[in-house]
Every structure is written in C-alpha cells, then in structure tokens.
Amino acid sequence: MSRKEQRSDGSTKDSLAAVVRRSELILTCGPGGVGKTTTAAALGVAAAHAGRKVVVVTVDPARRLADALGLDESIAADEPHLVKGVTNRKTDGELWALMLDAEQTFDRLVREQAGSRKQADAVLNNPVYQAISGSLSGAQEYMAVERLHQLHVSGEWDLVIVDTPPSRHAIDLLEAPDRLVGFLSHPVYRTLTVGQRTFAKVTDAASSMFLWAVKRLAGPQIVEDTVEFFRSLANIEGGLRRRAKEVSRLLRGDRTSFVVVSSPRAEAVGEAEHLLDAIGDKGFPLGGLVVNLIHPMPTELSDDDVELLADLDDGPLADQLEWHHELTRLATAERSELVAIGKLAGDAPMIELPLLDVDIHDVPGLIDLSARLV
Ligand SMILES: Nc1ncnc2c1ncn2[C@@H]1O[C@H](COP(=O)(O)OP(=O)(O)OP(=O)(O)O)[C@@H](O)[C@H]1O
Ligand SMILES: [Mg+2]
C-alpha cells in the first residue's frame, strides 16, 4: 500500500483515503461545532469499507449522531458496540463505536498502575478525588488520549479513532499528557506528596498558602482529605508519569494521524490555524485538514438578469435577490479563508465538504459523507 497517491494535478500528496488505510490512530480536533464528531464517524465508515476493524471513541455526540451510531441510553458507556448497517460486503471490516467514560478510564488507569488493590482504592475512594474527578481541567482531554492508548495496546483494533471532547481550546488535547507530567512536577503537588509530613509540618510557602486557603474556604476535613488524596496518588505517580510519556510518544508516532476539522468561518479558521501551528511545532503528525460546512457558491447572474432585476421594488423577488447577494458575499469570503488555511496544511491533504441541507443523523448520511471525504 503506497503512502503517497498520485493526484489529478500530478502532485503526490497523501490522500485522506491513504491516511485512513495506513493509520492505527486518528484524532479529530478543531474548533467547536464544526463537525469533528461527524468526521470521526465518517472516517470510521471509510476505514471499515477499506476492510479494517475500527472503533470510534466519541465524547458527547449530538443526539441524532449518537442515534446514527446506535449509542442510545441502553448502551453502557465505555463498552464498544458494533454499528449496524455500515458494512455488508465480504471485504468490509467492522465499525464499532464507544462513548468515552472519563471516570471509568481513570479508574482503569489507577488500578493498572497501583501496586495493590488497597492502593488503588485509596485514590478512587477518596472524597476529594470523587469531588474533582469530573471537573479537573483538561482531565477529559487526558482521558480521551489515555483511552486511545488503552484501546491501541489491547491489539483488538486495526484503527482507533478518537474525537476531541467539546472544549474551548482544542489545543488542550495535544497538551494533556505533558500537562499531567507538569502537574506531577508542580511544587505544591511535590510538597504535598513528598515524605510523610503532615499538614502541620508542611513548610513550603506555596503549599501552606494553598492549604490555608482551602482550610478557610472548605474546612479542615477537606484539607486532611486533600493531603491524603495527594499522598495516595504518590503511590502510583511513577506509573502515571510513565504512562503520560508513553501516550505523548504514541501521539507523535508514525502510525498516528491528526485530522484537523474546521469550518470556513473566520473565527473557526483562526482557531484551526493556531491548532495547525501547534501540531507542527510540537511534532504531531498531521494526516489531513477537513473544511466542513462550506456554503455552495450561488450561480452567477448574467448581465441581462442584473439589468432586469435592477429596478425591482420591494417584494419577494427583491428579497430573493438580496439573499442571493448575501449568499454570494458569504461564499466568496469563505473561499478566501480556504486559500489561507490551505497553505497551512502543507503536505497534508485538504478536503472541502459542503454544508448539506440535512443534518447527518443516520448511517446512510455517514456513508455519503465518508465517500466525500475519501
Ligand atoms: N456537512 C454538514 N452538513 C450539514 N450538517 C452537518 C455537516 N457536518 C456536521 N453537521 C451537523 O452539525 C452538527 C454538529 O456536528 P458535530 O457534532 O460533528 O460537531 P462537533 O465539532 O463535534 O461539535 P462539538 O464541538 O460540540 O463536539 C451535527 O448536528 C451534525 O449533524
Ligand atoms: Mg463533538
């Protein structure tokens, strides 16, 4: 299977079809609401049609898309489940979908890294962990890539596709493993976990200030629980650190591809450009750029039409004409954004997808989109 494919313009850019066939891990990322989850699912369909056994890990999909993937309430979170109706030829693979459960992923990670069940329980049963586990900044992002690692090493899948959790900064996903390592090296964390010092003996200024503030705000019990939590975490710290580094390496491996999804709207393009820069700077492999939700360019009016319509008074036809102008302006602005963002994609393929007039809410919709993608 060749990595590069000859394109109609004679160049040899990787096509997204090639990326889908050769990658073992794909991450879709980009600004909010541009179609990351939909693209992740459609890439999954494409991979299954290429004969691969693929699992798409989604986070909080739109209700109708969840229905398309068969992820209704009866499906347990964290359990892979076969998506029906995607494959029917002998040469087809399988598409499975899984709803990320950050808490279960962390539980699994802690149990794997702990030396004993007691050590694991000390972390997981701590009231502080239970209170903060759902809301730790960046925790969902880390758990998404951690789950990717768990599924990858299980050896059960030819391809694991992970969708970015809806977050304000798509870049969080890239930085999650390094951020975890950074957290474990933070002076406050270090002072809380080093040795057998009790809260009263903590002398480090930053930690004392931190604990003093927590004590004032939340009461002494929470301080005891907090200190206890960080201590119990210290037992598995080595494992966490190793794993975060492994995940970080995996994300930069040559079997991994990042697919950036954007819309052609200026704000989204700005964020996507920032993300593409970060992907390049941090050495993550870019598999492709998908620009979704592009407005079709309306047919150009002939000079005769323009003349004929010039003297229109108010009325439905005048409104139609105004709408035609508006759409033309929008579509033109989008095309100039496309040129700018295309330059940033470098050697990676850029795929343009139109704004369809129906929501993508079922398997045939995903199959149609996957055909457009690859
Ligand atoms: N090309 C398209 N044409 C029409 N509708 C689309 C298209 N692509 C995606 N959609 C619809 O747009 C909505 C948002 O898509 P999706 O949930 O995939 O975005 P997202 O980037 O994952 O959002 P979030 O940042 O909230 O996770 C969905 O209802 C989806 O069906
Ligand atoms: Mg999404």
Side-chain angles (χ1 to χ4, degrees), residues 31-39 59-60 62 65 163-166 292-293 353-356 358-360 369:
V34 294
K36 297 180 294 293
T37 308
T38 312
T39 302
V59 191
D60 210 7
L65 185 65
D163 168 36
T164 317
N292 189 20
L293 310 172
L353 295 178
L355 171 71
L356 303 170
V358 286
D359 223 32
I360 293 136
L369 200 70

Side-chain angles (χ1 to χ4, degrees), residues 293-314:
L293 310 172
I294 301 174
H295 284 87
M297 182 66 84
T299 26
E300 209 176 326
L301 294 176
S302 69
D303 291 347
D304 288 350
D305 291 338
V306 173
E307 203 174 316
L308 209 67
L309 296 167
D311 302 325
L312 280 180
D313 292 327
D314 289 348

Side-chain angles (χ1 to χ4, degrees), residues 111-127:
R111 294 203 185 285
E112 212 181 290
Q113 300 301 333
S116 66
R117 205 196 157 112
K118 207 171 142 214
Q119 270 184 10
D121 287 344
V123 176
L124 299 172
N125 295 335
N126 186 291

Side-chain angles (χ1 to χ4, degrees), residues 107-146:
D107 283 15
R108 199 178 302 111
L109 172 65
V110 169
R111 294 203 185 285
E112 212 181 290
Q113 300 301 333
S116 66
R117 205 196 157 112
K118 207 171 142 214
Q119 270 184 10
D121 287 344
V123 176
L124 299 172
N125 295 335
N126 186 291
V128 172
Y129 165 67
Q130 288 175 354
I132 62 176
S133 60
S135 59
L136 272 180
S137 140
Q140 254 216 337
E141 282 77 12
Y142 183 72
M143 290 314 146
V145 287
E146 168 60 31

